[in-house]
Amino acid sequence: MGRRRKDNAMVFSNLIGRAQDRLAKRARYRRLVSEIESLSNRDLVDLRADRGEMLYQAYRSVYG
């Protein structure tokens, strides 16, 4: 019984850890999207940047 409880605790801990990781990634991605979306078209011209490409790179940097 003791080992089974320990195994269950490890599984639960693993699930919680994975959920926390997903939430942290989502928060990071949403912050990046918000920053990118806040750039005006003029800012993008000054940066010589493309909003779509920036959003793609933000996704890749967070999720791989």
Side-chain angles (χ1 to χ4, degrees):
M1 276 298 245
R3 180 179 171 90
R4 188 172 187 178
R5 282 188 183 179
K6 195 179 223 182
D7 289 344
N8 287 342
M10 287 175 46
V11 168
F12 183 71
S13 177
N14 187 15
L15 287 173
I16 296 298
R18 287 177 26 210
Q20 288 173 329
D21 182 54
R22 284 193 304 269
L23 289 171
K25 283 182 179 181
R26 181 169 172 76
R28 181 172 174 228
Y29 177 68
R30 293 306 308 157
R31 279 192 305 272
L32 289 171
V33 168
S34 179
E35 288 179 33
I36 293 167
E37 294 294 338
S38 73
L39 295 172
S40 70
N41 288 336
R42 180 66 187 155
D43 293 333
L44 292 171
V45 168
D46 289 345
L47 293 170
R48 295 184 183 135
D50 176 79
R51 191 180 316 271
E53 181 64 23
M54 291 176 77
L55 291 169
Y56 172 73
Q57 292 302 328
Y59 183 88
R60 284 195 45 182
S61 75
V62 173
Y63 295 108

Short mmCIF file of all heavy atoms in Angstrom, two decimals:
data_model
loop_
_atom_site.label_atom_id
_atom_site.label_comp_id
_atom_site.label_asym_id
_atom_site.label_seq_id
_atom_site.Cartn_x
_atom_site.Cartn_y
_atom_site.Cartn_z
N MET A 1 0.81 -1.20 0.00
CA MET A 1 0.00 0.00 0.00
C MET A 1 0.85 1.26 0.00
O MET A 1 0.52 2.20 -0.68
CB MET A 1 -0.91 0.03 1.24
CG MET A 1 -2.21 -0.72 1.11
SD MET A 1 -3.32 -0.16 -0.13
CE MET A 1 -4.65 0.39 0.85
N GLY A 2 1.92 1.27 0.79
CA GLY A 2 2.75 2.46 0.89
C GLY A 2 3.36 2.85 -0.43
O GLY A 2 3.43 4.02 -0.79
N ARG A 3 3.84 1.84 -1.17
CA ARG A 3 4.45 2.11 -2.47
C ARG A 3 3.42 2.65 -3.45
O ARG A 3 3.71 3.56 -4.24
CB ARG A 3 5.10 0.84 -3.02
CG ARG A 3 5.76 1.04 -4.36
CD ARG A 3 6.42 -0.23 -4.86
NE ARG A 3 6.86 -0.10 -6.21
CZ ARG A 3 8.04 0.33 -6.59
NH1 ARG A 3 8.91 0.69 -5.68
NH2 ARG A 3 8.35 0.42 -7.86
N ARG A 4 2.23 2.10 -3.40
CA ARG A 4 1.18 2.55 -4.32
C ARG A 4 0.82 4.01 -4.07
O ARG A 4 0.64 4.79 -5.00
CB ARG A 4 -0.06 1.68 -4.16
CG ARG A 4 -1.10 1.96 -5.20
CD ARG A 4 -2.20 0.95 -5.14
NE ARG A 4 -3.09 1.14 -6.25
CZ ARG A 4 -4.13 0.39 -6.48
NH1 ARG A 4 -4.42 -0.60 -5.68
NH2 ARG A 4 -4.91 0.62 -7.51
N ARG A 5 0.73 4.40 -2.82
CA ARG A 5 0.46 5.81 -2.50
C ARG A 5 1.58 6.71 -2.99
O ARG A 5 1.35 7.80 -3.49
CB ARG A 5 0.26 5.99 -0.99
CG ARG A 5 -1.08 5.56 -0.53
CD ARG A 5 -1.30 5.92 0.90
NE ARG A 5 -2.58 5.43 1.33
CZ ARG A 5 -3.06 5.57 2.53
NH1 ARG A 5 -2.33 6.18 3.46
NH2 ARG A 5 -4.23 5.10 2.86
N LYS A 6 2.81 6.21 -2.82
CA LYS A 6 3.96 6.99 -3.27
C LYS A 6 3.92 7.17 -4.79
O LYS A 6 4.17 8.25 -5.30
CB LYS A 6 5.25 6.29 -2.85
CG LYS A 6 6.49 7.13 -2.92
CD LYS A 6 7.68 6.33 -2.45
CE LYS A 6 8.53 7.19 -1.56
NZ LYS A 6 9.73 6.49 -1.11
N ASP A 7 3.58 6.09 -5.50
CA ASP A 7 3.47 6.16 -6.96
C ASP A 7 2.36 7.12 -7.37
O ASP A 7 2.53 7.91 -8.30
CB ASP A 7 3.19 4.77 -7.55
CG ASP A 7 4.39 3.83 -7.46
OD1 ASP A 7 5.52 4.32 -7.22
OD2 ASP A 7 4.19 2.61 -7.62
N ASN A 8 1.23 7.05 -6.70
CA ASN A 8 0.12 7.96 -7.00
C ASN A 8 0.51 9.40 -6.74
O ASN A 8 0.16 10.29 -7.51
CB ASN A 8 -1.13 7.59 -6.20
CG ASN A 8 -1.80 6.33 -6.70
OD1 ASN A 8 -1.56 5.91 -7.82
ND2 ASN A 8 -2.62 5.73 -5.87
N ALA A 9 1.24 9.63 -5.66
CA ALA A 9 1.69 10.98 -5.34
C ALA A 9 2.64 11.50 -6.41
O ALA A 9 2.58 12.67 -6.79
CB ALA A 9 2.37 11.01 -3.97
N MET A 10 3.51 10.62 -6.92
CA MET A 10 4.43 11.02 -7.97
C MET A 10 3.69 11.36 -9.26
O MET A 10 4.01 12.33 -9.94
CB MET A 10 5.47 9.93 -8.22
CG MET A 10 6.50 9.82 -7.10
SD MET A 10 7.66 8.45 -7.27
CE MET A 10 8.16 8.55 -8.96
N VAL A 11 2.68 10.55 -9.60
CA VAL A 11 1.89 10.80 -10.80
C VAL A 11 1.16 12.13 -10.67
O VAL A 11 1.17 12.96 -11.60
CB VAL A 11 0.89 9.65 -11.05
CG1 VAL A 11 -0.13 10.02 -12.11
CG2 VAL A 11 1.62 8.39 -11.45
N PHE A 12 0.55 12.35 -9.52
CA PHE A 12 -0.17 13.60 -9.29
C PHE A 12 0.79 14.79 -9.36
O PHE A 12 0.49 15.80 -9.99
CB PHE A 12 -0.87 13.56 -7.93
CG PHE A 12 -1.68 14.78 -7.64
CD1 PHE A 12 -2.86 15.02 -8.32
CD2 PHE A 12 -1.27 15.70 -6.71
CE1 PHE A 12 -3.62 16.15 -8.07
CE2 PHE A 12 -2.01 16.84 -6.45
CZ PHE A 12 -3.19 17.06 -7.13
N SER A 13 1.95 14.65 -8.74
CA SER A 13 2.94 15.72 -8.75
C SER A 13 3.39 16.01 -10.18
O SER A 13 3.56 17.17 -10.57
CB SER A 13 4.13 15.32 -7.89
OG SER A 13 5.13 16.30 -7.94
N ASN A 14 3.57 14.96 -10.97
CA ASN A 14 3.97 15.12 -12.37
C ASN A 14 2.89 15.85 -13.16
O ASN A 14 3.20 16.75 -13.96
CB ASN A 14 4.25 13.75 -12.98
CG ASN A 14 4.83 13.82 -14.37
OD1 ASN A 14 5.29 14.86 -14.81
ND2 ASN A 14 4.81 12.71 -15.06
N LEU A 15 1.64 15.49 -12.94
CA LEU A 15 0.53 16.17 -13.63
C LEU A 15 0.48 17.65 -13.28
O LEU A 15 0.30 18.51 -14.14
CB LEU A 15 -0.79 15.50 -13.28
CG LEU A 15 -1.06 14.14 -13.91
CD1 LEU A 15 -2.32 13.53 -13.33
CD2 LEU A 15 -1.16 14.25 -15.41
N ILE A 16 0.64 17.94 -12.00
CA ILE A 16 0.62 19.34 -11.55
C ILE A 16 1.78 20.11 -12.17
O ILE A 16 1.61 21.23 -12.66
CB ILE A 16 0.67 19.42 -10.01
CG1 ILE A 16 -0.59 18.81 -9.40
CG2 ILE A 16 0.86 20.86 -9.54
CD1 ILE A 16 -1.87 19.50 -9.78
N GLY A 17 2.95 19.50 -12.18
CA GLY A 17 4.12 20.15 -12.76
C GLY A 17 3.95 20.44 -14.24
O GLY A 17 4.29 21.53 -14.72
N ARG A 18 3.37 19.48 -14.97
CA ARG A 18 3.14 19.68 -16.40
C ARG A 18 2.10 20.77 -16.64
O ARG A 18 2.25 21.60 -17.56
CB ARG A 18 2.72 18.38 -17.06
CG ARG A 18 3.89 17.42 -17.18
CD ARG A 18 3.59 16.06 -17.75
NE ARG A 18 2.46 15.96 -18.62
CZ ARG A 18 1.74 14.86 -18.74
NH1 ARG A 18 2.03 13.78 -18.05
NH2 ARG A 18 0.72 14.82 -19.58
N ALA A 19 1.07 20.80 -15.82
CA ALA A 19 0.05 21.85 -15.95
C ALA A 19 0.64 23.22 -15.67
O ALA A 19 0.37 24.19 -16.39
CB ALA A 19 -1.12 21.57 -15.01
N GLN A 20 1.48 23.31 -14.64
CA GLN A 20 2.11 24.59 -14.32
C GLN A 20 3.02 25.03 -15.46
O GLN A 20 3.05 26.22 -15.81
CB GLN A 20 2.91 24.47 -13.03
CG GLN A 20 2.06 24.38 -11.79
CD GLN A 20 2.87 24.09 -10.54
OE1 GLN A 20 3.91 23.43 -10.58
NE2 GLN A 20 2.37 24.58 -9.42
N ASP A 21 3.73 24.09 -16.06
CA ASP A 21 4.61 24.41 -17.19
C ASP A 21 3.79 24.94 -18.37
O ASP A 21 4.16 25.95 -18.98
CB ASP A 21 5.40 23.18 -17.60
CG ASP A 21 6.36 23.45 -18.73
OD1 ASP A 21 7.19 24.38 -18.60
OD2 ASP A 21 6.30 22.72 -19.75
N ARG A 22 2.67 24.28 -18.67
CA ARG A 22 1.82 24.74 -19.78
C ARG A 22 1.26 26.12 -19.50
O ARG A 22 1.21 26.97 -20.41
CB ARG A 22 0.69 23.74 -20.02
CG ARG A 22 1.15 22.47 -20.73
CD ARG A 22 -0.02 21.65 -21.24
NE ARG A 22 -0.98 21.29 -20.21
CZ ARG A 22 -0.94 20.17 -19.49
NH1 ARG A 22 0.03 19.31 -19.68
NH2 ARG A 22 -1.87 19.93 -18.59
N LEU A 23 0.84 26.37 -18.27
CA LEU A 23 0.30 27.69 -17.93
C LEU A 23 1.37 28.77 -18.03
O LEU A 23 1.11 29.87 -18.51
CB LEU A 23 -0.30 27.67 -16.53
CG LEU A 23 -1.61 26.90 -16.39
CD1 LEU A 23 -1.99 26.76 -14.92
CD2 LEU A 23 -2.71 27.57 -17.18
N ALA A 24 2.58 28.45 -17.60
CA ALA A 24 3.68 29.42 -17.68
C ALA A 24 4.01 29.73 -19.13
O ALA A 24 4.23 30.89 -19.49
CB ALA A 24 4.90 28.90 -16.94
N LYS A 25 4.04 28.70 -19.98
CA LYS A 25 4.32 28.92 -21.40
C LYS A 25 3.23 29.77 -22.03
O LYS A 25 3.51 30.67 -22.81
CB LYS A 25 4.43 27.58 -22.14
CG LYS A 25 5.74 26.89 -21.92
CD LYS A 25 5.82 25.60 -22.72
CE LYS A 25 7.15 24.93 -22.52
NZ LYS A 25 7.26 23.69 -23.30
N ARG A 26 1.98 29.46 -21.70
CA ARG A 26 0.87 30.23 -22.27
C ARG A 26 0.95 31.69 -21.85
O ARG A 26 0.75 32.58 -22.67
CB ARG A 26 -0.46 29.63 -21.82
CG ARG A 26 -1.66 30.37 -22.39
CD ARG A 26 -2.94 29.61 -22.16
NE ARG A 26 -4.11 30.37 -22.53
CZ ARG A 26 -4.53 30.61 -23.77
NH1 ARG A 26 -3.86 30.14 -24.79
NH2 ARG A 26 -5.61 31.31 -23.99
N ALA A 27 1.28 31.93 -20.59
CA ALA A 27 1.40 33.31 -20.10
C ALA A 27 2.53 34.04 -20.83
O ALA A 27 2.39 35.19 -21.23
CB ALA A 27 1.64 33.33 -18.60
N ARG A 28 3.65 33.35 -21.01
CA ARG A 28 4.79 33.95 -21.72
C ARG A 28 4.41 34.27 -23.17
O ARG A 28 4.70 35.37 -23.67
CB ARG A 28 5.99 33.00 -21.69
CG ARG A 28 7.20 33.57 -22.37
CD ARG A 28 8.42 32.70 -22.15
NE ARG A 28 9.51 33.21 -22.95
CZ ARG A 28 10.28 32.47 -23.74
NH1 ARG A 28 10.10 31.17 -23.78
NH2 ARG A 28 11.22 33.01 -24.45
N TYR A 29 3.75 33.34 -23.83
CA TYR A 29 3.34 33.55 -25.21
C TYR A 29 2.35 34.71 -25.32
O TYR A 29 2.47 35.56 -26.20
CB TYR A 29 2.73 32.26 -25.78
CG TYR A 29 2.22 32.42 -27.18
CD1 TYR A 29 3.11 32.62 -28.24
CD2 TYR A 29 0.87 32.36 -27.47
CE1 TYR A 29 2.65 32.77 -29.54
CE2 TYR A 29 0.40 32.51 -28.77
CZ TYR A 29 1.30 32.72 -29.80
OH TYR A 29 0.84 32.87 -31.08
N ARG A 30 1.37 34.77 -24.41
CA ARG A 30 0.39 35.85 -24.44
C ARG A 30 1.05 37.21 -24.22
O ARG A 30 0.66 38.20 -24.84
CB ARG A 30 -0.71 35.63 -23.39
CG ARG A 30 -1.62 34.45 -23.64
CD ARG A 30 -2.30 34.42 -25.00
NE ARG A 30 -2.99 35.66 -25.32
CZ ARG A 30 -3.27 36.07 -26.54
NH1 ARG A 30 -2.95 35.34 -27.58
NH2 ARG A 30 -3.90 37.21 -26.73
N ARG A 31 2.06 37.26 -23.35
CA ARG A 31 2.80 38.52 -23.16
C ARG A 31 3.50 38.94 -24.44
O ARG A 31 3.48 40.11 -24.83
CB ARG A 31 3.81 38.39 -22.02
CG ARG A 31 3.21 38.55 -20.64
CD ARG A 31 4.28 38.71 -19.57
NE ARG A 31 5.25 37.63 -19.55
CZ ARG A 31 5.11 36.50 -18.87
NH1 ARG A 31 4.05 36.29 -18.15
NH2 ARG A 31 6.05 35.57 -18.92
N LEU A 32 4.15 37.98 -25.10
CA LEU A 32 4.84 38.30 -26.35
C LEU A 32 3.85 38.77 -27.42
O LEU A 32 4.11 39.75 -28.12
CB LEU A 32 5.61 37.07 -26.86
CG LEU A 32 6.84 36.68 -26.06
CD1 LEU A 32 7.37 35.33 -26.54
CD2 LEU A 32 7.92 37.74 -26.19
N VAL A 33 2.73 38.07 -27.55
CA VAL A 33 1.71 38.46 -28.53
C VAL A 33 1.21 39.87 -28.22
O VAL A 33 1.08 40.70 -29.12
CB VAL A 33 0.55 37.45 -28.56
CG1 VAL A 33 -0.64 37.99 -29.35
CG2 VAL A 33 1.03 36.13 -29.15
N SER A 34 0.97 40.14 -26.97
CA SER A 34 0.48 41.46 -26.58
C SER A 34 1.49 42.55 -26.95
O SER A 34 1.11 43.61 -27.46
CB SER A 34 0.21 41.48 -25.08
OG SER A 34 -0.22 42.74 -24.67
N GLU A 35 2.76 42.29 -26.70
CA GLU A 35 3.80 43.26 -27.07
C GLU A 35 3.84 43.47 -28.57
O GLU A 35 3.95 44.61 -29.04
CB GLU A 35 5.15 42.80 -26.56
CG GLU A 35 5.31 42.89 -25.05
CD GLU A 35 6.67 42.40 -24.58
OE1 GLU A 35 7.65 42.58 -25.33
OE2 GLU A 35 6.72 41.85 -23.48
N ILE A 36 3.77 42.39 -29.32
CA ILE A 36 3.83 42.49 -30.78
C ILE A 36 2.60 43.22 -31.31
O ILE A 36 2.71 44.10 -32.17
CB ILE A 36 3.96 41.08 -31.42
CG1 ILE A 36 5.32 40.48 -31.06
CG2 ILE A 36 3.76 41.14 -32.93
CD1 ILE A 36 5.44 39.00 -31.35
N GLU A 37 1.44 42.89 -30.78
CA GLU A 37 0.20 43.53 -31.23
C GLU A 37 0.16 45.02 -30.87
O GLU A 37 -0.53 45.79 -31.51
CB GLU A 37 -1.02 42.81 -30.65
CG GLU A 37 -1.21 41.39 -31.16
CD GLU A 37 -1.54 41.32 -32.64
OE1 GLU A 37 -2.01 42.31 -33.21
OE2 GLU A 37 -1.31 40.25 -33.23
N SER A 38 0.90 45.40 -29.84
CA SER A 38 0.90 46.81 -29.44
C SER A 38 1.76 47.68 -30.36
O SER A 38 1.67 48.90 -30.31
CB SER A 38 1.38 46.96 -27.99
OG SER A 38 2.78 46.74 -27.90
N LEU A 39 2.57 47.06 -31.20
CA LEU A 39 3.41 47.83 -32.13
C LEU A 39 2.54 48.41 -33.24
O LEU A 39 1.71 47.71 -33.82
CB LEU A 39 4.49 46.93 -32.74
CG LEU A 39 5.55 46.37 -31.80
CD1 LEU A 39 6.41 45.36 -32.53
CD2 LEU A 39 6.40 47.49 -31.23
N SER A 40 2.76 49.67 -33.52
CA SER A 40 2.03 50.29 -34.63
C SER A 40 2.68 49.86 -35.95
O SER A 40 3.80 49.34 -35.98
CB SER A 40 2.08 51.81 -34.51
OG SER A 40 3.40 52.28 -34.76
N ASN A 41 1.97 50.10 -37.03
CA ASN A 41 2.54 49.80 -38.35
C ASN A 41 3.81 50.60 -38.57
O ASN A 41 4.76 50.12 -39.18
CB ASN A 41 1.51 50.09 -39.44
CG ASN A 41 0.40 49.07 -39.46
OD1 ASN A 41 0.57 47.94 -38.99
ND2 ASN A 41 -0.74 49.46 -39.99
N ARG A 42 3.84 51.84 -38.06
CA ARG A 42 5.03 52.67 -38.19
C ARG A 42 6.21 52.05 -37.42
O ARG A 42 7.33 52.04 -37.92
CB ARG A 42 4.73 54.09 -37.66
CG ARG A 42 5.88 55.03 -37.75
CD ARG A 42 6.24 55.31 -39.20
NE ARG A 42 7.45 56.10 -39.24
CZ ARG A 42 8.28 56.11 -40.27
NH1 ARG A 42 8.01 55.41 -41.35
NH2 ARG A 42 9.36 56.85 -40.24
N ASP A 43 5.93 51.53 -36.22
CA ASP A 43 6.98 50.85 -35.45
C ASP A 43 7.54 49.68 -36.25
O ASP A 43 8.76 49.47 -36.30
CB ASP A 43 6.44 50.32 -34.12
CG ASP A 43 6.05 51.41 -33.15
OD1 ASP A 43 6.62 52.52 -33.22
OD2 ASP A 43 5.16 51.15 -32.31
N LEU A 44 6.66 48.92 -36.88
CA LEU A 44 7.10 47.77 -37.67
C LEU A 44 7.96 48.20 -38.84
O LEU A 44 8.97 47.56 -39.15
CB LEU A 44 5.89 46.97 -38.15
CG LEU A 44 5.11 46.25 -37.06
CD1 LEU A 44 3.82 45.67 -37.63
CD2 LEU A 44 5.93 45.17 -36.40
N VAL A 45 7.58 49.31 -39.49
CA VAL A 45 8.38 49.83 -40.60
C VAL A 45 9.76 50.24 -40.08
O VAL A 45 10.78 49.91 -40.69
CB VAL A 45 7.67 51.00 -41.30
CG1 VAL A 45 8.62 51.72 -42.25
CG2 VAL A 45 6.43 50.52 -42.03
N ASP A 46 9.78 50.95 -38.96
CA ASP A 46 11.05 51.38 -38.38
C ASP A 46 11.94 50.19 -38.02
O ASP A 46 13.16 50.25 -38.15
CB ASP A 46 10.83 52.23 -37.13
CG ASP A 46 10.27 53.60 -37.44
OD1 ASP A 46 10.32 54.02 -38.62
OD2 ASP A 46 9.77 54.26 -36.50
N LEU A 47 11.31 49.11 -37.56
CA LEU A 47 12.07 47.91 -37.19
C LEU A 47 12.37 47.01 -38.38
O LEU A 47 13.10 46.03 -38.25
CB LEU A 47 11.27 47.10 -36.15
CG LEU A 47 11.07 47.73 -34.80
CD1 LEU A 47 10.06 46.93 -33.99
CD2 LEU A 47 12.39 47.81 -34.05
N ARG A 48 11.76 47.35 -39.53
CA ARG A 48 11.85 46.50 -40.72
C ARG A 48 11.39 45.09 -40.37
O ARG A 48 12.07 44.10 -40.65
CB ARG A 48 13.26 46.50 -41.30
CG ARG A 48 13.69 47.84 -41.81
CD ARG A 48 15.04 47.78 -42.45
NE ARG A 48 15.42 49.11 -42.87
CZ ARG A 48 16.63 49.62 -42.66
NH1 ARG A 48 17.56 48.91 -42.08
NH2 ARG A 48 16.90 50.84 -43.06
N ALA A 49 10.25 45.02 -39.73
CA ALA A 49 9.73 43.75 -39.22
C ALA A 49 8.36 43.46 -39.80
O ALA A 49 7.64 44.36 -40.23
CB ALA A 49 9.65 43.79 -37.70
N ASP A 50 8.01 42.21 -39.80
CA ASP A 50 6.71 41.74 -40.25
C ASP A 50 5.97 41.15 -39.05
O ASP A 50 6.49 40.27 -38.37
CB ASP A 50 6.92 40.67 -41.33
CG ASP A 50 5.62 40.07 -41.79
OD1 ASP A 50 4.94 40.72 -42.61
OD2 ASP A 50 5.30 38.96 -41.33
N ARG A 51 4.78 41.65 -38.79
CA ARG A 51 4.02 41.21 -37.60
C ARG A 51 3.79 39.69 -37.61
O ARG A 51 3.96 39.03 -36.61
CB ARG A 51 2.70 41.95 -37.52
CG ARG A 51 1.97 41.75 -36.22
CD ARG A 51 0.64 42.49 -36.15
NE ARG A 51 0.66 43.85 -36.64
CZ ARG A 51 0.94 44.93 -35.91
NH1 ARG A 51 1.23 44.80 -34.64
NH2 ARG A 51 0.92 46.12 -36.45
N GLY A 52 3.42 39.17 -38.75
CA GLY A 52 3.18 37.72 -38.86
C GLY A 52 4.41 36.91 -38.53
O GLY A 52 4.34 35.90 -37.82
N GLU A 53 5.53 37.33 -39.04
CA GLU A 53 6.79 36.63 -38.77
C GLU A 53 7.16 36.75 -37.29
O GLU A 53 7.65 35.78 -36.69
CB GLU A 53 7.92 37.18 -39.64
CG GLU A 53 9.26 36.50 -39.43
CD GLU A 53 9.28 35.03 -39.82
OE1 GLU A 53 8.44 34.60 -40.63
OE2 GLU A 53 10.15 34.31 -39.29
N MET A 54 6.92 37.90 -36.71
CA MET A 54 7.21 38.08 -35.29
C MET A 54 6.34 37.16 -34.44
O MET A 54 6.81 36.55 -33.47
CB MET A 54 7.02 39.54 -34.88
CG MET A 54 8.05 40.47 -35.46
SD MET A 54 7.72 42.19 -35.06
CE MET A 54 8.29 42.25 -33.37
N LEU A 55 5.06 37.05 -34.80
CA LEU A 55 4.16 36.16 -34.06
C LEU A 55 4.60 34.71 -34.21
O LEU A 55 4.57 33.94 -33.25
CB LEU A 55 2.72 36.35 -34.54
CG LEU A 55 2.09 37.68 -34.18
CD1 LEU A 55 0.78 37.87 -34.95
CD2 LEU A 55 1.88 37.80 -32.69
N TYR A 56 5.01 34.33 -35.41
CA TYR A 56 5.51 32.97 -35.65
C TYR A 56 6.74 32.69 -34.79
O TYR A 56 6.84 31.64 -34.16
CB TYR A 56 5.82 32.81 -37.14
CG TYR A 56 6.50 31.51 -37.47
CD1 TYR A 56 5.80 30.31 -37.45
CD2 TYR A 56 7.85 31.50 -37.82
CE1 TYR A 56 6.44 29.12 -37.75
CE2 TYR A 56 8.48 30.31 -38.13
CZ TYR A 56 7.78 29.12 -38.10
OH TYR A 56 8.41 27.94 -38.39
N GLN A 57 7.67 33.63 -34.77
CA GLN A 57 8.89 33.44 -33.99
C GLN A 57 8.60 33.42 -32.49
O GLN A 57 9.26 32.70 -31.74
CB GLN A 57 9.92 34.53 -34.32
CG GLN A 57 10.48 34.43 -35.72
CD GLN A 57 11.16 33.09 -36.00
OE1 GLN A 57 11.73 32.47 -35.12
NE2 GLN A 57 11.10 32.66 -37.25
N ALA A 58 7.63 34.20 -32.05
CA ALA A 58 7.24 34.18 -30.64
C ALA A 58 6.72 32.79 -30.28
O ALA A 58 7.08 32.22 -29.24
CB ALA A 58 6.18 35.24 -30.36
N TYR A 59 5.88 32.23 -31.14
CA TYR A 59 5.36 30.89 -30.89
C TYR A 59 6.49 29.87 -30.83
O TYR A 59 6.54 29.03 -29.93
CB TYR A 59 4.36 30.51 -31.99
CG TYR A 59 3.72 29.17 -31.75
CD1 TYR A 59 2.57 29.05 -30.98
CD2 TYR A 59 4.27 28.00 -32.26
CE1 TYR A 59 1.98 27.83 -30.74
CE2 TYR A 59 3.70 26.78 -32.03
CZ TYR A 59 2.56 26.69 -31.26
OH TYR A 59 2.00 25.47 -31.02
N ARG A 60 7.38 29.94 -31.79
CA ARG A 60 8.51 28.99 -31.82
C ARG A 60 9.40 29.14 -30.61
O ARG A 60 9.91 28.14 -30.10
CB ARG A 60 9.33 29.20 -33.09
CG ARG A 60 8.65 28.62 -34.29
CD ARG A 60 9.55 28.48 -35.45
NE ARG A 60 10.83 27.93 -35.04
CZ ARG A 60 11.85 27.73 -35.83
NH1 ARG A 60 11.76 28.02 -37.09
NH2 ARG A 60 12.98 27.23 -35.38
N SER A 61 9.62 30.37 -30.15
CA SER A 61 10.51 30.56 -29.00
C SER A 61 9.91 29.99 -27.71
O SER A 61 10.64 29.54 -26.84
CB SER A 61 10.86 32.04 -28.81
OG SER A 61 9.77 32.75 -28.27
N VAL A 62 8.59 29.98 -27.63
CA VAL A 62 7.94 29.46 -26.42
C VAL A 62 7.69 27.96 -26.52
O VAL A 62 8.01 27.21 -25.60
CB VAL A 62 6.61 30.20 -26.15
CG1 VAL A 62 5.85 29.56 -25.01
CG2 VAL A 62 6.88 31.68 -25.86
N TYR A 63 7.15 27.53 -27.63
CA TYR A 63 6.71 26.14 -27.76
C TYR A 63 7.67 25.22 -28.52
O TYR A 63 7.48 24.02 -28.53
CB TYR A 63 5.33 26.08 -28.41
CG TYR A 63 4.25 26.72 -27.57
CD1 TYR A 63 3.70 27.94 -27.93
CD2 TYR A 63 3.80 26.11 -26.41
CE1 TYR A 63 2.70 28.53 -27.16
CE2 TYR A 63 2.82 26.70 -25.63
CZ TYR A 63 2.28 27.90 -26.02
OH TYR A 63 1.30 28.48 -25.24
N GLY A 64 8.65 25.83 -29.16
CA GLY A 64 9.64 25.02 -29.85
C GLY A 64 9.31 24.69 -31.26
O GLY A 64 8.40 24.95 -31.89
#
